[in-house]
Amino acid sequence: MIRGTSSLTVTSELSYLPAIQAFAREFARETGFGGNDQEMIVLALEEAVTNVIEHAFESGEQPFQIIFKPSTGGIEIIVKDMGLPYDLSLLPKYEAPTDIEGMPSRGLGSLIMGKCVDEVFLCNLGKGGKELHLVKRLPVRSVVELVECPEPGPSRKPVADKDVPDSSSSVELRLMKSSEALEVSKLFYRAYGYSYLSDVMYYPERLAEYNREGLITSIVAVSEEGEIVGHLAMTREKRDDTVAEAGKGAVKPSFRGKDIFTGMQRLLNDTAKAMGIRALYGRAVTVHSATQKMVEKTGYKLCGVVLGYAPADMAFKGIQEQLSQRESLIYCFQPVVELPVTSVFLPSHHEAILRRIYSHLGLTRNFHTPFEIVPVADLSVMEVKVYSEINSAEIVVRQYGKDVIRVLRDHLRDLCAKRIDHFTLFLDLGDQATALMCEEIERLGFFMGGIIPCLHFEDTLILQYLNNLIVDPSKIKLHSPMVKEIVAYVNDHIGGK
């Protein structure tokens, strides 16, 4: 099986297309894809490459790159070129012809790519050109299929809830073994149905592979009878990331109230420190306040809120509260090692609340007033990621350019047209431009969310945008005075109020 990254550099000539397709087909086969999936990958790549050859360059043959990356559980293909900049808002939408003899409309290529692979997204890199990413996951059976069609062999009889002693039973807390991934998936299926935010928890093979690759580190709670009764994990986007998200937590209903969650949190913190992680962050639910209480008990401080981030169909077995609106999440943060003192530039209109949050976090910062004029690059660099399973998107501004407002407006227009409900915007508080441009950005409809250190930047400001979405903050369950203060402040500033 191929594990290393490969790349092709070709000139923009259609005569290269058969060779590119042949390489892609063989790479997909070696990565583990069957014949049908190979052809789907090749077809999506054909559309992407043809688009570059026919539209990216104004004259002559120019070189561009195709990067093949075997990712955990699948394949990622990146088509990178230094051709004409592309405006995401101009991405054509496919409209079927009105009669059988009608010609297909523009946008058919985008539709084909979206049907052939699991994810398609474009990254504008400013002076670095642009990248089109195609992601295809290996087919694996979900937990439901595995429960309904179990593998042959010995099985362990589950312990009935009524047979679990109320207080005398004890659990072992440790790292998950790959062979236990199926039991963890069953735990999530029984705890949340199919409503949990991260779909990896429903695919045991994928969960095990992410653990082997070091992108997920799973802690499990195991009963005296050998049953998996709890799970908590930290997740990194890249193996060398020094900040990780703590989450993917579940405890079997009959074991709740036995302090299992806090025990898993403490072990997770110790594991993170041993792995060289600088900080952990999490996003606690607000359908109930129990998770907020538990994370605070293990040293996390609440520092922000994103309203309406997740769908309203989240379900918690054994917990009576049901969501009447999209779920809001509370950002929480905990340093694993001592963090350096940094310089930050706070937007003047939010300075008071941001200083309060920094004080609550216990982080020392040098607060500076930005210059009235700060030089910026000609072009902005942004990352946009859409999480289709929860209908939310995240935008990270990596570099401010003179076009930053126009580019943000175009991203908003594109995401709104796709009916994405919630957008989170991350800005660098170590960049003077953030303090100077924050109010102008908020005029686009963004509003305050809080701060989250170490994520994307050393100090990160959270803004958010609701796409025709109404969230009533009075309906969300909050625990600490600090988070209540943050939510009240956010509510006062929704839509620039």
Side-chain angles (χ1 to χ4, degrees):
M1 180 177 177
I2 291 177
R3 291 193 178 275
T5 297
S6 299
S7 65
L8 302 176
T9 300
V10 297
T11 55
S12 53
E13 301 176 67
L14 281 173
S15 55
Y16 277 109
L17 189 56
I20 295 170
Q21 291 173 306
F23 185 91
R25 186 177 289 108
E26 185 64 17
F27 195 93
R29 186 183 71 81
E30 287 294 330
T31 307
F33 288 97
N36 185 60
D37 282 333
Q38 292 172 31
E39 296 309 313
M40 299 286 272
I41 291 168
V42 168
L43 180 57
L45 182 59
E46 177 185 345
E47 292 293 334
V49 168
T50 302
N51 186 61
V52 169
I53 292 173
E54 293 183 346
H55 303 295
F57 306 105
E58 289 186 314
S59 62
E61 287 79 27
Q62 301 289 330
F64 67 98
Q65 222 179 357
I66 306 163
I67 303 165
F68 297 84
K69 298 172 64 177
S71 61
T72 300
I75 187 175
E76 181 176 13
I77 302 175
I78 304 170
V79 181
K80 182 176 182 178
D81 70 84
M82 297 288 289
L84 291 168
Y86 192 76
D87 188 336
L88 286 175
S89 68
L90 300 180
L91 192 66
K93 305 296 188 297
Y94 174 73
E95 293 182 8
T98 56
D99 58 75
I100 194 168
E101 295 181 355
M103 293 294 291
S105 76
R106 295 169 66 246
L108 180 59
S110 300
L111 177 70
I112 290 173
M113 286 189 289
K115 295 292 185 181
C116 290
V117 296
D118 296 303
E119 290 183 53
V120 181
F121 58 94
L122 183 69
C123 294
N124 285 325
L125 306 177
K127 293 181 180 180
K130 61 183 182 295
E131 294 178 344
L132 181 70
H133 293 242
L134 306 172
V135 178
K136 182 76 171 176
R137 299 188 185 96
L138 285 165
V140 293
R141 288 185 292 169
S142 75
V143 63
V144 174
E145 295 172 284
L146 289 165
V147 169
E148 293 176 349
C149 305
E151 299 286 347
S155 59
R156 182 169 57 225
K157 181 180 179 181
V159 180
D161 290 354
K162 60 183 176 58
D163 295 331
V164 178
D166 288 338
S167 57
S168 61
S169 63
S170 61
V171 297
E172 176 190 9
L173 303 178
R174 56 168 171 78
L175 292 172
M176 184 193 80
K177 301 173 184 176
S178 294
S179 59
E180 295 170 326
L182 174 58
E183 293 305 312
V184 170
S185 289
K186 289 180 179 178
L187 172 68
F188 273 78
Y189 180 63
R190 290 163 179 159
Y192 298 98
Y194 251 145
S195 69
Y196 192 71
L197 301 184
S198 177
D199 66 348
V200 70
M201 302 312 299
Y202 298 108
Y203 292 90
E205 295 173 39
R206 199 174 293 163
L207 175 61
E209 183 66 20
Y210 274 111
N211 269 270
R212 285 191 290 267
E213 293 289 334
L215 298 177
I216 293 179
T217 302
S218 290
I219 302 295
V220 292
V222 187
S223 71
E224 291 177 331
E225 293 79 11
E227 182 187 13
I228 302 293
V229 297
H231 178 272
L232 188 67
M234 60 180 172
T235 304
R236 295 181 286 179
E237 290 193 4
K238 300 187 296 295
R239 190 172 180 175
D240 58 354
D241 284 349
T242 58
V243 60
E245 180 175 11
K248 297 177 172 60
V251 174
K252 186 177 180 180
S254 58
F255 280 78
R256 291 172 185 161
K258 302 180 186 295
D259 228 19
I260 291 174
F261 190 90
T262 52
M264 291 191 295
Q265 280 275 8
R266 292 191 180 100
L267 179 55
L268 192 69
N269 295 353
D270 293 340
T271 304
K273 188 172 185 178
M275 292 172 59
I277 301 295
R278 298 172 65 229
L280 292 170
Y281 74 97
R283 289 175 287 188
V285 298
T286 59
V287 65
H288 58 80
S289 61
T291 303
Q292 299 166 47
K293 294 177 183 177
M294 286 186 284
V295 297
E296 284 194 311
K297 189 175 181 180
T298 53
Y300 289 84
K301 298 294 180 66
L302 308 181
C303 55
V305 60
V306 280
L307 300 177
Y309 181 84
D313 60 358
M314 289 183 66
F316 303 85
K317 292 187 178 180
I319 297 176
Q320 296 302 314
E321 294 92 334
Q322 295 298 315
L323 292 170
S324 58
Q325 59 186 1
R326 279 180 65 92
E327 171 71 326
S328 301
L329 302 180
I330 302 296
Y331 269 96
C332 55
F333 175 81
Q334 179 175 193
V336 175
V337 298
E338 186 174 353
L339 298 177
V341 177
T342 59
S343 295
V344 297
F345 300 88
L346 302 181
S348 58
H349 59 303
H350 295 312
E351 182 173 355
I353 186 66
L354 294 179
R355 281 178 176 266
R356 288 272 297 116
I357 297 173
Y358 271 116
S359 176
H360 177 68
L361 289 171
L363 297 178
T364 302
R365 291 293 183 261
N366 294 323
F367 299 108
H368 295 285
T369 301
F371 297 113
E372 292 185 5
I373 299 177
V374 176
V376 296
D378 289 332
L379 299 176
S380 301
V381 177
M382 301 185 192
E383 297 171 3
V384 181
K385 187 68 181 282
V386 175
Y387 299 92
S388 56
E389 66 275 13
I390 57 174
N391 210 35
S392 292
E394 294 183 354
I395 305 173
V396 182
V397 177
R398 291 293 179 187
Q399 174 180 288
Y400 287 96
K402 296 174 183 177
D403 61 348
V404 62
I405 298 300
R406 181 188 65 79
V407 174
L408 273 174
R409 184 184 291 112
D410 289 344
H411 282 311
L412 284 177
R413 187 182 297 118
D414 177 62
L415 293 169
C416 287
K418 293 176 179 176
R419 298 184 179 180
I420 303 299
D421 288 316
H422 180 279
F423 322 140
T424 312
L425 179 65
F426 297 103
L427 305 176
D428 184 4
L429 283 170
D431 189 330
Q432 298 182 68
T434 294
L436 293 174
M437 303 196 72
C438 185
E439 282 193 275
E440 191 173 358
I441 291 172
E442 288 175 358
R443 291 191 195 105
L444 296 175
F446 287 99
F447 58 95
M448 168 63 65
I451 59 176
I452 180 68
C454 298
L455 180 63
H456 303 302
F457 310 104
E458 196 67 33
D459 293 272
T460 304
L461 177 67
I462 305 169
L463 298 183
Q464 53 192 310
Y465 184 100
L466 302 180
N467 182 18
N468 292 318
L469 189 69
I470 297 175
V471 178
D472 183 355
S474 69
K475 293 182 179 180
I476 65 180
K477 305 296 176 61
L478 303 171
H479 168 57
S480 75
M482 185 70 247
V483 77
K484 291 178 181 178
E485 182 179 342
I486 294 172
V487 171
Y489 185 89
V490 169
N491 186 42
D492 288 341
H493 290 79
I494 292 177
K497 289 193 292 185

